[in-house]
């Protein structure tokens, strides 16, 4: 008989007023007992609705059954069949919209804590796992992957498992993409990313950092070097700005810059040279996960007041529910239905305030969400010394502008079919480079699909 | 890791390093830049490429020891390696094949970057006048190299201790007044110098190119930290530049942006670790 408790076993977390001053992980993970107890809430449905919600088709009921039976190594093996980066997914997937959103237990009460269990299993494996990763025998075919983010790493991992010789080219000095420059330590410890990358390396994946494809070798030159297919997972790295007055003042950051300085360049740690503004009051513009990350980082960097300024209401907030909840607990102030119109500076050109206007929701727009409309004459100012723009990103033009025959749409996103094939033969793409800014797990799903397509493509040529 | 094959002190605060980086050397062009990171705790710092040798697979950088990162870089010797060296980034300088005569202006360590520009123009068969400005005689660099690739080289020092006394714009004005026709002026040096060069040429409508080196992180368009206003539009120096039309650049804003982290830098400069003498890990 299943455990019929209506709520998930609570996740141990750092106290909000302690954690908003450190960068250690907020959610501390289930113990074995907690995991087993939560696993017994799973009904092991025959039709597995949860799996249909997972972009990488993790064998969810199967792994949970193994957790319930205390076979943690077996649970890991089950997850690893379809997911190359489980410790990461367990932490950053928007489970409420995916697996857990489909869970039958969620109809009355809370769904099974699938994400928490996935994380538990992956962490258990890292701490206790003894099985050595086997390097598959090479099939002699070379594939290049551009970008070592979630899409590229997943694609590389799946291809390596099939025996391909994979080289990943990364522009930054470390592999991980948004997992290391964007998502903060307190949400996804960088040691975990490094371990997952280490597993790929043990499988034979080569990672070349400091390589800006398009500037060093072009995609066309990679083919000349003997790569038979190229996967482009270069992400959506180009930050958007609002193009309002005052955006060039000192103290206005893109979320990309602010987060990169803190996460990748470790501005929060002693001993690192990276400078960053010492802010007292910060306005983060935007309502996605990136905005939540930036706001919570600003608080941890010592800001007394941190606002989220978002033009729609709580219902439209695109961030993962848990991040919004955590941000509120940590004292982030949500200024919803407000939109910035101008950033004000002092005589030295430094930010001193942000002027906003109140908004109300009108008819639904093309995105299906109600369109925010300004309320005339409702302008007001917030005194802040730092403004962080977290209103989205678009794909970097570096690859498409240096590769012949690669088409992009008007937003700069690479054109690719549902199997990841682009308009250029032998070139596949996936993740944010194709969809525009989305989630880690969707990028992973796209990397997985493309790995299949690349395998079919190379086999078809023999 | 990128090994330093040659290190030469050009003067007491300016160092030349020739670095093994074959994949960058293969593609580098005048006007492009690299980003270096000395060690794990280091910053990512952009430096314009001073020279490259495709056959040897080396890239030459010339830097002034001004902040924590360049100080740290200067502690490395021949045979040591730089942890990260990324490039070639940015858009290469466009050389107008129809140009007859170009005036290249360098200020201080900027001469290290102006020199390869002069060389590229000279190699393209274009007449080059070069004005090389320095604070004083002690910091003069690359004079022989510059002389070899220019038709006329004018050495200027602020205090008159070498060459002629005065700033570069004084000489530029004289050359224009004397009737020299320039198809283009290229100015590379302190922001304030580039600003005044642009102001000098503006009344004559002489096309003026400046090379900007603002604060940046990634160098691929990702952070937006290097934004500069050019002709009222916001540009990213790393991918849209580093060369821009000097008559369009908002130099005052750029000067402010470049001072943003000065306080922190000043603190870092005061603190020299006595255990290691400035070297991070002894």
């Amino acid at each position: 008989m299943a455990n019929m408790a209506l709520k998930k076993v609570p996740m141990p977390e750092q106290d909000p007023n302690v954690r908003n001053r450190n960068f250690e992980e907020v959610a501390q993970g289930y113990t074995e007992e907690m995991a087993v107890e939560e696993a017994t809430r799973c009904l092991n449905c025959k039709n597995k609705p949860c799996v249909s919600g997972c972009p990488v088709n993790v064998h969810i009921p199967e792994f949970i059954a193994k957790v319930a039976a205390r076979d943690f190594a077996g649970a890991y093996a089950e997850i690893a069949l379809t997911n190359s980066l489980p410790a990461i997914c367990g932490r950053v997937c928007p489970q409420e919209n995916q697996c857990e959103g489909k869970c039958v237990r969620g109809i009355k009460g809370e769904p099974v804590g699938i994400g928490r269990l996935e994380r538990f299993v992956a962490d258990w494996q890292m701490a206790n796992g003894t099985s050595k990763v086997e390097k598959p025998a090479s099939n002699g075919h070379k594939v290049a992957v551009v970008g070592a983010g979630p899409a590229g790493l997943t694609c590389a991992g799946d291809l390596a498992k099939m025996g391909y010789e994979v080289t990943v080219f990364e522009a930054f000095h470390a592999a991980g993409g948004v997992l290391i420059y964007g998502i903060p330590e307190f949400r996804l410890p960088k040691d975990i990313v490094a371990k997952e990358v280490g597993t790929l390396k043990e499988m034979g994946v080569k990672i070349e950092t400091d390589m800006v494809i398009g500037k060093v070798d072009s995609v066309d030159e990679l083919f000349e070097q003997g790569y038979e297919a190229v996967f482009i997972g270069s992400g959506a790295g180009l930050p958007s700005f609002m193009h309002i007055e005052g955006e060039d003042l000192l103290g206005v950051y893109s979320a990309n810059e602010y987060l990169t300085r803190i996460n990748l360049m470790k501005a929060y740690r002693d001993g690192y040279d990276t400078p960053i503004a010492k802010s007292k009051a910060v306005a983060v513009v935007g309502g996605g996960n990136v905005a939540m990350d930036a706001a919570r980082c600003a608080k941890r960097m010592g800001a007394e007041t941190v606002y989220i300024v978002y033009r729609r209401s709580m219902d439209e907030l695109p961030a993962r529910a848990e991040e919004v909840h955590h941000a509120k607990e940590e004292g982030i102030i949500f200024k919803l239905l407000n939109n910035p119109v101008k950033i004000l500076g002092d005589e030295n050109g430094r930010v001193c305030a942000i002027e906003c206007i109140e908004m109300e929701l009108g008819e639904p727009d093309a995105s299906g969400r109600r369109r925010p409309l300004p309320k005339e004459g409702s302008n007001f100012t917030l005194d802040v010394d730092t403004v962080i723009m977290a209103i989205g990103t678009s794909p970097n033009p570096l690859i498409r502008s240096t590769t012949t025959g690669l088409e992009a749409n008007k937003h700069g996103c690479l054109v690719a079919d549902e199997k990841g094939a682009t308009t250029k033969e032998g070139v596949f793409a996936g993740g944010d480079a194709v969809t525009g800014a989305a989630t880690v797990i969707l990028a992973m799903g796209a990397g997985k699909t493309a790995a299949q397509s690349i395998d079919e493509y190379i086999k078809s040529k023999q | 890791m990128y090994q330093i094959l040659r290190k030469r002190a050009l003067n007491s605060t300016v160092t030349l390093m020739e670095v093994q980086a074959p994949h960058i050397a293969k593609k580098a062009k005048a006007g492009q830049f690299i980003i270096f990171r000395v060690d794990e705790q280091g910053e990512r710092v952009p430096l314009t490429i001073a020279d490259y040798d495709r056959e040897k697979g080396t890239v030459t950088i010339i830097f002034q020891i001004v902040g924590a990162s360049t100080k740290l870089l200067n502690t490395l010797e021949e045979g040591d390696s730089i942890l990260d060296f990324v490039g070639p980034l940015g858009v290469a300088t466009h050389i107008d094949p129809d140009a007859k005569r170009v005036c290249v202006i360098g200020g201080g360590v900027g001469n290290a970057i102006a020199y390869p520009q002069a060389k590229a123009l000279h190699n393209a068969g274009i007449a080059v006048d070069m004005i090389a400005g320095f604070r004083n005689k002690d910091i003069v660099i690359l004079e022989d190299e510059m002389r070899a690739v220019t038709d006329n080289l004018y050495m200027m020092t602020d205090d008159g201790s070498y060459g002629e006394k005065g700033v570069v714009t004084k000489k530029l004005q004289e050359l224009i007044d004397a009737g020299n026709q320039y198809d283009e002026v290229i100015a590379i040096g302190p922001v304030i110098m580039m600003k005044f060069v642009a102001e000098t040429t503006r009344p004559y409508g002489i096309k003026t190119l400046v090379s900007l080196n603002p604060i940046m992180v990634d160098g691929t368009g990702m952070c937006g930290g290097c934004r500069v206003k050019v002709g009222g539009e916001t540009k990213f120096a790393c991918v849209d530049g580093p060369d821009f039309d000097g008559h369009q650049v908002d130099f005052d804003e750029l000067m402010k942006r470049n001072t943003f982290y000065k306080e922190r830098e000043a603190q870092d400069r005061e603190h020299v670790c006595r255990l290691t003498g400035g070297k991070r890990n002894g």
Side-chain angles (χ1 to χ4, degrees), chain A residues 407-427:
Chain A
E407 281 176 29
N409 69 16
K410 66 176 178 187
H411 302 297
C413 301
L414 295 178
V415 174
D417 65 19
E418 71 282 1
K419 294 185 142 191
T422 66
T423 52
K424 187 179 175 75
E425 191 188 330
V427 178

Side-chain angles (χ1 to χ4, degrees), chain A residues 171-173 181 209-212 215-218 221 225 237-239 241 243 247-254 256-257 260-261 264-267 270-278 347-350 396 398, chain B residues 2 23-24 26-27 32 37 40-44 68-69 72 83-91 215-218 220-225 227 229 234 236 239 253 256-257 259-261 263-264 267-268 280:
Chain A
F172 263 132
H173 53 255
Y181 76 72
T209 53
D210 293 343
M211 293 292 274
V212 184
K215 284 291 178 186
V216 277
D217 293 319
S218 64
E221 284 167 311
Q225 290 165 18
L238 228 54
F241 286 92
H243 304 291
E247 244 174 348
D248 292 311
L249 290 166
L250 302 182
V252 180
Y253 285 95
S254 72
N256 262 4
E257 179 180 2
T260 300
R261 283 182 182 275
L264 179 72
M265 305 305 296
K266 313 255 184 285
D270 285 342
Y272 281 75
D273 292 337
T274 314
I276 195 152
K278 282 199 178 76
E347 65 283 2
N348 299 316
R350 292 183 178 237
N396 196 310
L398 209 53
Chain B
Y2 302 84
H23 59 288
I24 302 177
K26 194 170 87 180
K27 291 294 177 80
Q32 290 187 294
R37 193 176 70 127
E40 188 48 43
Q41 291 112 299
E43 277 188 272
R44 294 171 64 95
S69 299
L72 190 66
L83 182 59
D84 295 291
F85 204 72
V86 192
L89 300 167
V91 181
I215 291 166
M216 54 177 79
V217 180
D218 61 295
T220 60
M222 207 200 92
C223 78
R227 46 197 201 279
K229 220 181 268 155
T234 298
F236 289 3
V239 287
E253 186 182 287
K256 279 185 194 154
R257 285 197 85 81
T259 61
F260 191 52
Y261 296 113
E263 253 169 62
R264 153 93 193 235
Q267 287 168 5
D268 286 354
R280 198 183 322 260

Side-chain angles (χ1 to χ4, degrees), chain B residues 2-16:
Chain B
Y2 302 84
Q3 201 180 31
I4 299 161
L5 299 187
R6 188 161 66 97
K7 179 184 178 186
R8 184 155 70 101
L10 298 184
N11 65 37
S12 59
T13 61
V14 176
T15 301
L16 173 150

